[in-house]
Each structure stands twice: as C-alpha cells, then as structure tokens.
C-alpha cells in the first residue's frame, strides 16, 4: 500500500514513518519537498503520485499564534493553512480518487460538558478560539469535498524521543529534571495520547478501509496538574516543584481554553485498537528511552 504524508517531518508524521515503514511505502510531502498546501499548484506532485491514501498532518497548531491571526480573518496563516490548505488537499483527493485521513483536534469542542460527559463523535463542535475554529472549518471542508475520508481527532500527543520539538509531556519532564518549577492547570480536563497508539490506529483505519470520524485519544481523563504529578512519579522526579494554577491565571491575555476536552474513544476501540492510559504510555516511553 502506498501512502502520502503531508507534514511528514513533525511530531506525529515522523513517528508514523518510523513505525510503519515496513508495512507501507510512504511518499513525503512537506515544505522541503516544495509542498505548500495553501497553494494548490504546489500539490501537483501529490496529484501525480500513486498514493492510495493521503494523511494530512500539516496545520498551524500554535493556539495562541492562531489567536493573533484572528484579526486577519481569511488573510491570516491559520485560515490559509487550516482551512484553505485542507480544502485544496481534499479537492485534490476527490479529483484523483485518493482516500484522505484528516487529523483534527479535541479543541473543536467548547468544553462545557460536565466532568462525567466525554465528547463522542456524534457531538456537534462549537469552537471557542480561532485555532479550533479553523480546524473545525477544515473538517467541514473535507466533509463537503466529495473525497472519501476519515477525520481523526487527536489530543495532547506525546512520544519518547524527538530532538527538534518537545511535546507537553517531555516539556514538563525536562523542567522537573532541571529543577525548574512547573505551573499546572487544575480546571482543564484532557485525554493525553501516546503517539505510538495513534500510529497503530492509523494502520487499522487504513487496513480496514474505514470511513467517518474517530476520536483517537488516550484512555485517561485528567487535569494537566494530575498529568504533571504522574510524570514526576513515573520518572522519580521532584513533585514538590509542581504547583497548581487556573486557566484564567495561566492563559491570561491568551486564547480561551475550554474546561472539559475529554473525548470518548469507544469507537476506535471497537476496531480493535487499545489506547493506553497515561501511566501505561509513560511506562512505554521509559522502555524506549532506556533501549
């Protein structure tokens, strides 16, 4: 099976290739290969490729950076990349008969559910910041394109090693290892996701040729404060360096963050994918680091 990946050098794309290179033949499309999803003309090589599936990972994901783009509207990078770029790729897939996997985010929800209510794929998005709004518009562009597609929503991905970019887990771990304080939010619920599990879910989606929307997230709901405590515990680090704060304090002057972004992953589990708990994910991270 031949698969094209747009955004192959990032946190997730690079791991997809590492783990699945013996199962699929990958074609990489990113800025270094001349691909700019905001420019439909630059997608010619993708259109001419014999990739049966296309995985769209390229996006502007900096929540606060996207919020600064809001005043620019459709002229801002967040809109151009997350909406126009998605439209361009989806349109190409429709015209060429390629199947599209569009990677979206838990942030498309407004977070007003009670603590016990996890968002399912049937819940209607209602974004509260510009990043989330553009990703939701990207989802709609894919759905309206006519392309055969799967939308996968991901939340707070983490992995064992990547030199050029730290995810939230490694950022907290690094600060604790260097004796720096960590301020962690107590009024935000999320479902951290081990990237290796996410990659295995993509493999199942492709091999089973499924369609629709899937929440491909970890098996735990927690606050960032609780996550920081688990990180300290698993890596034998000083938890006294961790202090609690609120969204209002931590994100003052920045983009709004929803309260409850816990996603239900029953649908992807039903395909035979078991997503790890945060503790299980960290234990696997430790094994990989020590190999």
């Amino acid at each position: 099976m031949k698969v094209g990946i747009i955004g192959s050098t990032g946190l997730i794309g690079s791991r997809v290739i590492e783990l699945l290179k013996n199962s699929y033949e990958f074609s990489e499309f990113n800025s270094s290969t001349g691909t700019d999803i905001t420019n439909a003309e630059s997608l010619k090589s993708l259109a001419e490729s014999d990739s049966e599936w296309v995985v769209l990972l390229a996006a502007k994901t900096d929540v606060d950076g996207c919020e600064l783009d809001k005043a620019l509207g459709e002229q801002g990078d967040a809109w151009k990349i997350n909406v126009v770029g998605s439209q361009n790729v989806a349109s190409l897939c429709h015209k060429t008969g390629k199947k599209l996997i569009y990677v979206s985010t838990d942030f498309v929800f407004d977070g007003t559910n009670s603590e016990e209510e996890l968002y399912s794929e049937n819940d209607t998005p209602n974004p509260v910041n510009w990043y989330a709004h553009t990703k939701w518009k990207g989802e709609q562009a894919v759905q309206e394109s006519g392309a055969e597609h799967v939308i996968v929503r991901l939340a707070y991905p983490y992995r064992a090693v990547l030199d050029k970019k730290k995810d939230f887990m490694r950022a907290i771990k690094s600060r604790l290892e260097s004796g720096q304080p960590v301020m962690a939010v107590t009024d935000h619920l999320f479902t951290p996701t081990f990237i290796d599990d996410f990659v295995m879910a993509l493999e199942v989606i492709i091999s089973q040729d499924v369609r629709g929307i899937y929440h491909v997230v970890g098996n735990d709901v927690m606050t960032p404060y609780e996550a920081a405590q688990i990180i300290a515990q698993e890596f034998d680090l000083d938890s006294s360096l961790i202090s609690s704060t609120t969204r209002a304090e931590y994100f003052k002057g920045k983009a709004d963050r929803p309260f409850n972004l816990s996603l239900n992953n029953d649908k992807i589990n039903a395909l035979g994918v078991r997503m790890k708990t945060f503790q299980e994910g960290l234990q696997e991270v430790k094994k990989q680091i020590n190999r």
Side-chain angles (χ1 to χ4, degrees):
M1 183 86 69
K2 297 182 179 180
V3 178
I5 298 191
I6 305 175
S8 59
T9 59
L11 184 70
I12 301 161
S14 59
R15 191 60 175 157
V16 171
I17 292 173
E18 286 173 11
L19 291 178
L20 299 182
K21 61 187 176 184
N22 294 327
S23 301
Y24 300 103
E25 182 179 327
F26 289 105
S27 298
E28 300 183 48
F29 301 93
N30 48 58
S31 56
S32 63
T33 65
T35 299
D36 173 6
I37 61 173
T38 68
N39 177 4
E41 291 297 316
S42 80
L43 298 175
K44 185 179 179 181
S45 59
L46 174 61
E48 294 173 347
S49 76
D50 51 4
S51 301
E52 184 175 338
W53 286 84
V54 175
V55 182
L56 178 53
L57 286 158
K60 182 166 183 176
T61 59
D62 173 5
V63 177
D64 297 316
C66 287
E67 200 66 18
L68 295 175
D69 282 351
K70 184 175 182 178
L72 299 173
E74 296 184 9
Q75 301 307 310
D77 283 346
W79 186 275
K80 289 179 181 178
I81 296 168
N82 296 344
V83 183
V84 176
S86 301
Q87 288 172 333
N88 288 339
V89 174
S91 176
L92 179 151
C93 288
H94 176 54
K95 290 175 183 175
T96 59
K98 302 181 191 301
K99 302 165 189 174
L100 175 62
I101 296 177
Y102 177 75
V103 180
S104 192
T105 172
D106 55 339
F107 266 74
V108 296
F109 296 109
D110 59 20
T112 58
N113 277 6
S114 69
E115 292 188 36
E116 296 77 23
E117 289 182 283
L118 278 66
Y119 285 97
S120 79
E121 290 84 352
N122 294 323
D123 287 316
T124 303
N126 184 33
V128 300
N129 58 50
W130 191 243
Y131 161 66
H133 179 73
T134 59
K135 288 299 290 181
W136 170 223
K137 287 295 183 184
E139 286 190 15
Q140 292 175 301
V142 169
Q143 291 172 320
E144 294 165 3
S145 68
E148 292 190 65
H149 67 272
V150 183
I151 293 171
V152 290
R153 294 184 182 132
L154 175 61
Y156 291 83
Y158 64 93
R159 58 185 287 184
V161 179
L162 184 67
D163 291 338
K164 63 184 178 180
K165 183 178 181 180
K166 281 191 172 73
D167 51 61
F168 86 95
M169 183 278 293
R170 284 179 294 128
I172 291 172
K173 177 174 171 284
S174 178
R175 287 188 67 85
L176 294 176
E177 286 172 337
S178 59
Q180 295 177 276
V182 170
M183 295 282 285
V185 172
T186 57
D187 59 346
H188 172 61
L189 295 174
F190 73 133
T191 40
T193 309
F194 185 41
I195 288 176
D196 291 16
D197 291 346
F198 182 82
V199 174
M200 291 303 104
L202 290 187
E203 198 279 331
V204 168
I205 285 169
I206 292 171
S207 64
Q208 295 189 19
D209 200 26
V210 303
R211 303 288 182 273
I213 302 175
Y214 288 84
H215 289 171
V216 185
V217 297
N219 242 2
D220 267 337
V221 176
M222 64 188 66
T223 67
Y225 180 80
E226 290 167 335
Q229 294 286 347
I230 294 171
I231 291 167
Q233 175 188 336
E234 284 298 318
F235 292 97
D236 296 318
L237 300 170
D238 185 1
S239 62
S240 70
L241 293 167
I242 303 167
S243 57
S244 62
T245 187
T246 64
R247 283 176 295 137
E249 292 172 351
Y250 193 82
F251 297 112
K252 187 175 182 180
K254 297 182 179 180
D256 287 342
R257 262 67 169 185
F259 160 58
N260 180 9
L261 285 185
S262 51
L263 303 190
N264 183 302
N265 62 11
D266 287 349
K267 190 176 177 182
I268 194 67
N269 287 337
L271 292 182
V273 179
R274 186 186 178 277
M275 306 298 290
K276 290 180 180 62
T277 66
F278 190 47
Q279 193 164 25
E280 289 171 337
L282 294 184
Q283 288 168 354
E284 180 59 31
V285 165
K286 281 199 294 188
K287 290 178 186 177
Q288 293 182 14
I289 290 173
N290 293 328
R291 279 176 190 161

